[in-house]
Amino acid sequence: MHQKIITYKEPQDVKTTLDSLGLNVNELQDAAKANFLAQASCTANDAPTAPGFIGWNASVKTIREYLIVRGWESKNIKNSPRIVNTDKSISIMVATGDDATGNPSIIPKTKSHKGATTRTAIYNNEAQTSLFPEEAIPHVIPVVSIGHSTSSTWVLLVHVYIDKAIEKPRHYVRCELSMPVGMDDTGHIDNWRERIILPEITINPDDLIDKVEDFAPEQEIILQRKA
């Protein structure tokens, strides 16, 4: 049975909750936008799976570079990249989400299945949150107060939307920082204890490189200046 999800979507609630985690909206959004920009650097000569991997890696790199200077640590747990704050006992991983990502009305899930390392992290999250009755959980939960020796793992879930329209394409990125507590039978994360919904990022073609970049087959981005 899924627990009730605590969702933060109002700007002040989002800011307060992120503050408690030592994070801010702009840095998380930059990490998500880096995903799109990295994908836009791909051409038809890249492998079909390259845009997704390169975009994901750009988000991982960007969030690490922001947080390392504030005392966070990069760790690769069995090849699963994390950025860790030992003082607050939290860990962040990056994952690609489906089109429900960033929508507070729909429950998202990861686009790819996850392995044993992520499953263990989710089990630890579930074990920690189940220590408390729902009514005892404050509106904003500083994760450091959970009182458990194991780090809580959060997911920066990123969804890149590519508009294939030739005229005035509208590309956007949706993202959220959420705490996973469940996976489906195929290994996709599909259950969350908390969701911090970040504002949608609209990608203006005028702000991008001054040429058309082709994606891998069946995935093309039109970066077109306005007339």
Side-chain angles (χ1 to χ4, degrees), residues 39-188:
Q39 290 194 39
S41 72
C42 293
T43 74
N45 293 322
D46 284 290
T49 58
F53 173 79
I54 293 172
W56 167 81
N57 182 67
S59 291
V60 171
K61 179 180 178 181
T62 301
I63 192 60
R64 282 176 158 184
E65 290 180 343
Y66 269 126
L67 297 181
I68 283 174
V69 297
R70 298 212 300 273
W72 292 59
E73 299 176 52
S74 288
K75 293 189 177 181
N76 298 309
I77 305 171
K78 296 183 179 179
N79 291 323
S80 179
R82 310 293 172 87
I83 184 74
V84 178
N85 186 322
T86 53
D87 290 338
K88 289 185 176 292
S89 297
I90 63 174
S91 171
I92 298 174
M93 60 180 286
V94 177
T96 301
D98 64 11
D99 57 8
T101 300
N103 185 338
S105 302
I106 310 173
I107 300 174
K109 66 178 182 179
T110 55
K111 290 191 73 173
S112 63
H113 65 274
K114 305 303 174 185
T117 300
T118 300
R119 187 177 294 277
T120 298
I122 290 174
Y123 174 81
N124 289 335
N125 283 352
E126 196 280 331
Q128 290 178 54
T129 58
S130 65
L131 294 175
F132 299 90
E134 184 175 309
E135 61 270 19
I137 299 177
H139 178 61
V140 174
I141 307 173
V143 175
V144 70
S145 71
I146 286 178
H148 194 282
S149 59
T150 304
S151 293
S152 298
T153 299
W154 292 71
V155 177
L156 177 60
L157 202 61
V158 180
H159 175 73
V160 172
Y161 175 78
I162 299 168
D163 187 352
K164 295 184 178 180
I166 301 300
E167 297 294 330
K168 298 181 179 179
R170 179 181 177 272
H171 316 301
Y172 63 78
V173 181
R174 288 180 181 158
C175 58
E176 59 183 81
L177 184 72
S178 300
M179 180 190 288
V181 289
M183 300 172 76
D184 63 20
D185 293 338
T186 61
H188 296 78

Side-chain angles (χ1 to χ4, degrees), residues 12-24:
Q12 188 56 51
D13 292 338
V14 168
K15 181 181 184 304
T16 302
T17 309
L18 289 178
D19 283 348
S20 74
L21 301 173
L23 301 166
N24 67 66

Side-chain angles (χ1 to χ4, degrees), residues 6 26 35 52 98-99 200:
I6 301 171
N26 290 338
N35 189 310
D98 64 11
D99 57 8
E200 181 178 295

